[in-house]
Amino acid sequence: MKITKNINSSLIALIQLLVVALLFASCNKDDETESTYEVEGVEELTAPNGLITLTTRKKQLKIGLNDGRILEETLFADDVKIQENQGNLYEFNTNTIVKKAANNGAVVWEKSYPEEIGKSIRMHRANTVFSQNTLFISYQELDTNTYESRYFMEALDLESSSTIWRLNVGANTYPYLYQNRLITVQYPNGNAPTVFQYRNKFLGDVEVERTIPERVDDYTFDGDLIIANSWNDRVFALDRGLNTVWSFSTGAENPGDGLVFEDQYLFFSRDRHVYSLNKNTGVLNWETAVSERLSLGFHTNEKDLYLAQQTGTQTLTLLKINTENGELESSFDTPMSDDTYTTKLAFFKEYLLVAMAPSSDENNPQIEARLLHLPSAEEIWSADLIFKMAHYQATTISNGE
């Protein structure tokens, strides 16, 4: 009996030890699984490699896209417009164009437009577009006695600076190049009408022209279509012959901020709605109501659409809208300057750069730049920069591809 009792006691003790061991192992396994899940579920936010370029008339800053660190700072003289193309810099001064090598600043060529008595050239305000080895440029010649203007458009050889052709185009002209076609948009009377033109690249001659009896500022090119938002309450599309393909009316004048995404044309209207139209037919896919009547920015990335609006004195609200059905998925707020003139936005893929001055004074020498990750609504970095918002020309973001 004594031996049996001892054996039973030993078995009970052994079972107890096994139970404890199993429980301990089970706890460790659960902890392991939970830990692994947490690590796998966290998305590490990393900014893409590349550059952000901030430009005014007097300064250009290049900062790292991944950390906001200043990589290069360039100072300009007054009344200079800078553009970069294929590894070269082009400086548009009052009456000269200078081509420089971007790597060392060496002057490749300089082209002057001599000013006669009573005539003034404003080359730094020229409208330009680059096409392979050609620069298309339109500029104004002002009669300083009568204050009447003549407008010219010119094609320059980028290797030699020689003029390929030059025409008096009669009105302020904006050149574009799309699918190897030269498109120009003119504003003969300042506000209205608006003239769309297809031009021969080699001669400059107008091949097709269409006058729209209203002001058009926002337009985009897609395939054979020009899709435009007028200052009236309509959005319309023109084909390669500049014939109207479709027209859509909204509930307010001056719709704007339009873009093409897959088979949709998406735009924001001052009737406080975001619209999705079939880009080929103009048929309404969906519309979504929002609270504010003005937009600070409009951007799409894959299936999501982002609308930036000012919803408070110093509040920038970003709305996330599903492009498939127009459903308002989320929104988040971030600080901004006390007016829209000192807050500038630049979207790039999944990212938004917010540049803002601390007050409504555009001449304030300091700004704060913040890079936000749109899907997560999180800040990647923030940097204080010496940079005036006055005469702010452009913000460009490039991933270096």
Side-chain angles (χ1 to χ4, degrees):
M1 294 294 296
K2 185 175 181 181
I3 294 174
T4 303
K5 183 176 180 182
N6 288 339
I7 292 173
N8 288 341
S9 300
S10 299
L11 286 172
I12 291 172
L14 180 61
I15 290 170
Q16 288 175 337
L17 286 172
L18 287 172
V19 169
V20 170
L22 288 172
L23 287 172
F24 183 78
S26 175
C27 289
N28 280 346
K29 183 177 181 182
D30 289 343
D31 289 344
E32 250 181 33
T33 303
E34 184 177 355
S35 175
T36 302
Y37 174 78
E38 288 178 350
V39 171
E40 290 178 352
V42 173
E43 180 184 357
E44 184 179 356
L45 299 181
T46 57
N49 293 324
L51 295 175
I52 299 174
T53 304
L54 308 178
T55 307
T56 69
R57 292 182 184 177
K58 295 186 177 182
K59 179 186 284 191
Q60 183 180 82
L61 289 181
K62 291 187 177 181
I63 60 179
L65 188 56
N66 60 334
D67 57 8
R69 182 171 55 89
I70 296 177
L71 303 177
E72 182 180 319
E73 179 175 343
T74 305
L75 299 179
F76 306 134
D78 289 345
D79 297 331
V80 175
K81 178 179 178 180
I82 306 294
Q83 287 187 274
E84 190 169 348
N85 180 67
Q86 297 181 355
N88 294 289
L89 293 178
Y90 294 83
E91 296 183 0
F92 299 88
N93 299 282
T94 303
N95 65 330
T96 61
I97 304 173
V98 182
K99 177 181 178 180
K100 294 182 178 180
N103 58 348
N104 57 17
V107 175
V108 179
W109 53 252
E110 180 175 329
K111 185 177 181 68
S112 297
Y113 293 78
E115 293 189 341
E116 304 173 4
I117 297 176
K119 304 290 183 183
S120 175
I121 303 292
R122 299 185 177 183
M123 196 59 62
H124 60 283
R125 299 183 184 178
N127 305 313
T128 59
V129 64
F130 292 90
S131 170
Q132 297 177 341
N133 198 40
T134 306
L135 168 65
F136 298 103
I137 179 169
S138 67
Y139 55 92
Q140 177 187 19
E141 181 184 272
L142 178 68
D143 189 315
T144 56
N145 295 317
T146 64
Y147 295 102
E148 294 181 354
S149 294
R150 294 198 303 167
Y151 295 90
F152 293 92
M153 186 168 177
E154 191 169 349
L156 299 179
D157 185 296
L158 289 178
E159 291 297 324
S160 63
S161 79
S162 61
T163 299
I164 301 171
W165 51 259
R166 179 175 180 266
L167 297 173
N168 185 337
V169 291
N172 194 16
T173 302
Y174 294 81
Y176 301 91
L177 199 82
Y178 180 72
Q179 291 190 343
N180 209 29
R181 300 191 73 187
L182 180 60
I183 305 169
T184 52
V185 183
Q186 292 189 332
Y187 297 96
N189 300 321
N191 288 327
T194 305
V195 182
F196 289 92
Q197 301 164 327
Y198 281 118
R199 290 181 178 267
N200 185 303
K201 291 193 307 178
F202 306 103
L203 302 174
D205 298 338
V206 175
E207 297 178 333
V208 186
E209 181 176 281
R210 171 74 183 278
T211 299
I212 306 297
E214 57 209 78
R215 176 82 180 196
V216 177
D217 271 340
D218 188 69
Y219 39 85
T220 188
F221 310 111
D222 181 78
D224 290 336
L225 297 178
I226 300 175
I227 305 176
N229 295 5
S230 79
W231 276 24
N232 292 345
D233 67 343
R234 74 185 187 107
V235 179
F236 61 93
L238 305 177
D239 62 15
R240 288 176 73 95
L242 298 181
N243 304 300
T244 301
V245 178
W246 54 258
S247 181
F248 180 88
S249 295
T250 69
E253 295 182 349
N254 200 16
D257 293 312
L259 54 88
V260 171
F261 175 68
E262 294 181 349
D263 63 347
Q264 301 179 77
Y265 181 66
L266 303 161
F267 69 96
F268 172 79
S269 172
R270 291 191 179 188
D271 65 358
R272 294 182 171 87
H273 283 80
V274 177
Y275 290 93
S276 168
L277 307 179
N278 182 296
K279 69 176 184 179
N280 298 310
T281 64
V283 173
L284 177 67
N285 296 318
W286 51 258
E287 59 181 287
T288 299
V290 296
S291 62
E292 306 298 325
R293 65 183 297 269
L294 297 177
S295 166
L296 301 181
F298 204 58
H299 173 71
T300 186
N301 176 55
E302 296 181 351
K303 69 181 183 67
D304 297 315
L305 178 71
Y306 294 91
L307 172 66
Q309 296 189 299
Q310 182 176 355
T311 55
T313 305
Q314 292 178 285
T315 301
L316 172 67
T317 298
L318 287 165
L319 305 178
K320 182 180 178 181
I321 300 171
N322 189 301
T323 56
E324 293 182 359
N325 53 28
E327 180 181 348
L328 182 60
E329 295 185 337
S330 63
S331 69
F332 67 92
D333 296 334
T334 188
M336 63 176 286
S337 300
D338 58 2
D339 67 52
T340 59
Y341 294 100
T342 49
T343 296
K344 307 294 182 182
L345 308 182
F347 290 93
F348 174 73
K349 296 184 178 180
E350 296 182 335
Y351 301 91
L352 168 63
L353 177 74
V354 181
M356 57 186 178
S359 68
S360 60
D361 182 8
E362 288 188 319
N363 288 302
N364 192 306
Q366 292 183 323
I367 69 166
E368 178 191 358
R370 291 185 290 125
L371 189 69
L372 305 178
H373 182 252
L374 292 169
S376 66
E378 293 190 22
E379 181 179 299
I380 303 296
W381 53 256
S382 176
D384 294 324
L385 304 171
I386 305 300
F387 190 83
K388 294 181 181 180
M389 301 295 275
H391 306 299
Y392 185 95
Q393 290 182 350
T395 301
T396 59
I397 302 179
S398 170
N399 63 355
E401 294 178 353

